[in-house]
Amino acid sequence: MPAAALKPKPLPTQSTAKRSVQLDLPYVPVAKRPLPPGRPREWYVTHNRRLKAMRLAIALLDSGVYVPNQARNETIRSTAELIGVHAPSDTTCHMVRALMRYSR
């Protein structure tokens, strides 16, 4: 084996990230912005449901639940409690599993 293959690569001296990423717990929610006015009520309900499902899917993936079959309603609801979100409905749990299917 060549000697160059045994040497570890040097660490980059400067980060290419535009902003720092924090992966430590406890979960800190993102600052909320007001939603655009004038939409039908159903739009707001769907929008908030999607945001909640996305937060839950990310939290489940971070906790090691990678397959939608592993994400039963009880698992999703316990994760919601862990990150400080109200318990999701069955529809939102279904949406979380759908997001996890497309995350691969």
Side-chain angles (χ1 to χ4, degrees), residues 27 29-36 43-59 83 85-86 88 92 95-96 99:
Y27 172 77
V30 179
K32 295 183 180 182
R33 298 185 330 211
L35 294 175
W43 183 89
Y44 297 105
V45 171
T46 305
H47 176 76
N48 288 332
R49 187 184 307 271
R50 286 179 183 153
L51 288 178
K52 185 178 203 176
M54 204 177 334
R55 285 187 196 106
L56 287 167
I58 291 167
I83 65 172
V85 177
H86 286 288
T92 306
M95 194 178 287
V96 169
L99 284 170

Coordinates of all heavy atoms in Angstrom, one line a residue, residues 27 29-36 43-59 83 85-86 88 92 95-96 99:
Y27 N -34.2 20.7 21.5 CA -34.6 21.2 20.2 C -35.1 22.7 20.4 O -35.8 23.0 21.4 CB -35.8 20.4 19.8 CG -36.6 21.0 18.6 CD1 -36.1 20.8 17.3 CD2 -37.8 21.6 18.8 CE1 -36.7 21.4 16.2 CE2 -38.4 22.1 17.7 CZ -37.9 22.0 16.4 OH -38.6 22.5 15.4
P29 N -37.0 25.7 18.6 CA -37.8 26.0 17.4 C -37.3 27.3 16.6 O -36.6 28.2 17.2 CB -39.2 26.2 17.9 CG -39.0 26.5 19.4 CD -37.7 25.8 19.8
V30 N -37.5 27.3 15.3 CA -37.1 28.4 14.5 C -38.1 29.6 14.8 O -39.2 29.4 15.1 CB -37.2 28.0 13.0 CG1 -36.8 29.2 12.1 CG2 -36.3 26.8 12.8
A31 N -37.6 30.8 14.7 CA -38.4 32.0 14.9 C -39.5 32.0 13.9 O -39.3 31.8 12.7 CB -37.6 33.2 14.8
K32 N -40.8 32.2 14.4 CA -41.9 32.2 13.5 C -42.1 33.5 12.8 O -41.8 34.6 13.4 CB -43.2 31.9 14.3 CG -43.1 30.5 14.9 CD -44.4 30.2 15.7 CE -44.3 28.8 16.3 NZ -45.5 28.4 16.9
R33 N -42.6 33.5 11.6 CA -43.0 34.7 10.8 C -44.5 34.6 10.6 O -45.1 33.6 10.5 CB -42.2 34.7 9.5 CG -40.7 34.7 9.6 CD -40.0 34.8 8.3 NE -40.7 34.2 7.2 CZ -40.1 33.7 6.2 NH1 -38.8 33.6 6.1 NH2 -40.8 33.1 5.2
P34 N -45.1 35.8 10.4 CA -46.5 35.8 10.2 C -46.8 35.2 8.8 O -46.1 35.4 7.8 CB -46.9 37.3 10.2 CG -45.7 38.0 10.1 CD -44.5 37.1 10.5
L35 N -48.0 34.5 8.7 CA -48.4 33.9 7.4 C -49.0 35.0 6.6 O -49.6 36.0 7.1 CB -49.4 32.8 7.7 CG -48.8 31.6 8.4 CD1 -49.9 30.6 8.7 CD2 -47.7 30.9 7.5
P36 N -49.0 34.8 5.2 CA -49.6 35.9 4.4 C -51.1 36.0 4.6 O -51.8 34.9 4.7 CB -49.3 35.4 3.0 CG -49.1 33.9 3.1 CD -48.5 33.7 4.5
W43 N -56.2 26.7 3.7 CA -54.8 26.8 3.3 C -53.9 26.9 4.5 O -52.8 26.2 4.6 CB -54.6 28.1 2.4 CG -53.2 28.2 1.9 CD1 -52.7 27.7 0.8 CD2 -52.1 28.9 2.6 NE1 -51.4 28.1 0.6 CE2 -51.0 28.8 1.8 CE3 -52.0 29.6 3.8 CZ2 -49.7 29.4 2.1 CZ3 -50.8 30.1 4.1 CH2 -49.7 30.0 3.3
Y44 N -54.3 27.7 5.5 CA -53.5 27.8 6.7 C -53.4 26.5 7.5 O -52.4 26.1 8.0 CB -54.1 28.9 7.6 CG -54.1 30.3 7.0 CD1 -55.3 30.8 6.5 CD2 -52.9 31.0 6.9 CE1 -55.3 32.1 5.9 CE2 -52.9 32.2 6.3 CZ -54.1 32.8 5.8 OH -54.1 34.0 5.2
V45 N -54.6 25.8 7.5 CA -54.6 24.5 8.2 C -53.6 23.5 7.6 O -52.8 22.9 8.2 CB -56.0 23.9 8.3 CG1 -56.0 22.5 8.8 CG2 -56.9 24.8 9.1
T46 N -53.7 23.4 6.3 CA -52.8 22.5 5.5 C -51.3 23.0 5.6 O -50.4 22.1 5.8 CB -53.2 22.5 4.0 OG1 -54.5 22.2 3.9 CG2 -52.3 21.5 3.2
H47 N -51.1 24.2 5.6 CA -49.7 24.8 5.7 C -49.1 24.4 7.0 O -48.0 23.9 7.1 CB -49.7 26.3 5.5 CG -48.4 26.9 5.7 ND1 -47.4 26.9 4.8 CD2 -47.9 27.6 6.7 CE1 -46.3 27.5 5.2 NE2 -46.6 28.0 6.4
N48 N -49.8 24.6 8.1 CA -49.3 24.3 9.4 C -49.2 22.8 9.6 O -48.2 22.4 10.3 CB -50.3 24.9 10.5 CG -50.1 26.4 10.6 OD1 -49.1 27.0 10.2 ND2 -51.2 27.1 10.9
R49 N -50.1 22.0 9.1 CA -49.9 20.6 9.2 C -48.7 20.1 8.5 O -47.9 19.2 9.0 CB -51.2 19.9 8.5 CG -51.2 18.4 8.8 CD -52.4 17.8 8.1 NE -53.7 18.4 8.4 CZ -54.4 18.0 9.4 NH1 -54.0 17.0 10.2 NH2 -55.6 18.5 9.6
R50 N -48.4 20.7 7.3 CA -47.1 20.3 6.6 C -45.9 20.7 7.4 O -44.9 19.9 7.4 CB -47.1 21.0 5.2 CG -48.1 20.4 4.2 CD -48.0 21.1 2.9 NE -49.0 20.5 2.0 CZ -49.5 21.2 1.0 NH1 -49.2 22.5 0.8 NH2 -50.4 20.6 0.2
L51 N -45.9 21.9 8.0 CA -44.7 22.3 8.8 C -44.5 21.3 9.9 O -43.4 20.9 10.2 CB -44.9 23.7 9.3 CG -44.8 24.8 8.2 CD1 -45.1 26.2 8.9 CD2 -43.5 24.8 7.6
K52 N -45.6 21.0 10.6 CA -45.5 20.1 11.8 C -45.0 18.7 11.3 O -44.1 18.1 12.0 CB -46.9 20.0 12.4 CG -46.9 19.2 13.7 CD -48.3 19.2 14.2 CE -48.4 18.9 15.7 NZ -49.7 19.0 16.2
A53 N -45.5 18.2 10.2 CA -45.1 16.9 9.7 C -43.6 16.9 9.3 O -42.9 16.0 9.6 CB -45.9 16.5 8.5
M54 N -43.2 18.0 8.8 CA -41.8 18.2 8.4 C -40.9 18.2 9.6 O -39.8 17.5 9.7 CB -41.6 19.4 7.6 CG -40.3 19.4 6.7 SD -40.1 20.8 5.6 CE -41.7 21.5 5.4
R55 N -41.3 18.9 10.7 CA -40.5 19.0 11.9 C -40.4 17.6 12.5 O -39.3 17.1 13.0 CB -41.1 19.9 12.9 CG -40.9 21.4 12.6 CD -41.4 22.2 13.7 NE -41.6 23.6 13.2 CZ -42.7 24.2 13.0 NH1 -43.8 23.6 13.2 NH2 -42.7 25.4 12.5
L56 N -41.5 16.9 12.5 CA -41.6 15.5 13.1 C -40.7 14.5 12.3 O -40.0 13.7 12.9 CB -43.0 15.0 13.3 CG -43.8 15.7 14.4 CD1 -45.3 15.4 14.2 CD2 -43.3 15.3 15.7
A57 N -40.8 14.6 11.0 CA -40.0 13.7 10.2 C -38.5 14.0 10.4 O -37.7 13.0 10.5 CB -40.4 13.9 8.7
I58 N -38.1 15.2 10.5 CA -36.7 15.5 10.7 C -36.3 15.0 12.1 O -35.2 14.4 12.2 CB -36.5 17.0 10.6 CG1 -36.6 17.4 9.1 CG2 -35.1 17.4 11.1 CD1 -36.7 18.9 8.9
A59 N -37.1 15.2 13.1 CA -36.8 14.7 14.4 C -36.7 13.2 14.5 O -35.8 12.6 15.1 CB -37.8 15.2 15.4
I83 N -40.0 16.9 21.4 CA -39.5 18.2 20.8 C -40.4 19.4 21.1 O -40.2 20.5 20.7 CB -39.4 18.1 19.3 CG1 -40.7 17.9 18.5 CG2 -38.3 17.1 18.9 CD1 -40.6 18.0 17.0
V85 N -44.0 19.7 20.7 CA -45.0 20.0 19.7 C -46.3 19.3 20.2 O -46.2 18.2 20.8 CB -44.6 19.5 18.3 CG1 -45.7 19.7 17.3 CG2 -43.4 20.2 17.9
H86 N -47.5 19.8 20.0 CA -48.7 19.2 20.4 C -48.8 17.8 19.6 O -48.3 17.7 18.5 CB -49.9 20.0 20.0 CG -50.1 21.2 20.9 ND1 -50.6 21.0 22.2 CD2 -49.9 22.5 20.7 CE1 -50.7 22.2 22.7 NE2 -50.3 23.1 21.9
P88 N -49.7 15.0 17.3 CA -50.3 15.1 15.9 C -51.5 14.2 15.7 O -51.7 13.2 16.4 CB -49.2 14.7 15.0 CG -48.3 13.8 15.9 CD -48.5 14.3 17.3
T92 N -51.8 13.8 10.2 CA -50.4 14.3 10.3 C -49.4 13.2 10.4 O -48.4 13.2 9.8 CB -50.3 15.3 11.5 OG1 -51.3 16.3 11.4 CG2 -48.9 15.9 11.5
M95 N -48.9 11.9 7.1 CA -48.1 12.8 6.3 C -46.6 12.6 6.7 O -45.7 12.7 5.8 CB -48.6 14.2 6.5 CG -48.0 15.2 5.5 SD -48.6 16.8 5.8 CE -50.3 16.7 5.2
V96 N -46.3 12.4 7.9 CA -44.9 12.2 8.4 C -44.3 11.0 7.7 O -43.2 11.0 7.2 CB -44.9 12.0 9.9 CG1 -43.5 11.6 10.4 CG2 -45.2 13.3 10.6
L99 N -43.6 11.7 4.1 CA -42.3 12.5 3.9 C -41.1 11.6 4.1 O -40.1 11.8 3.4 CB -42.3 13.6 5.0 CG -43.2 14.8 4.7 CD1 -43.3 15.8 5.9 CD2 -42.7 15.6 3.4

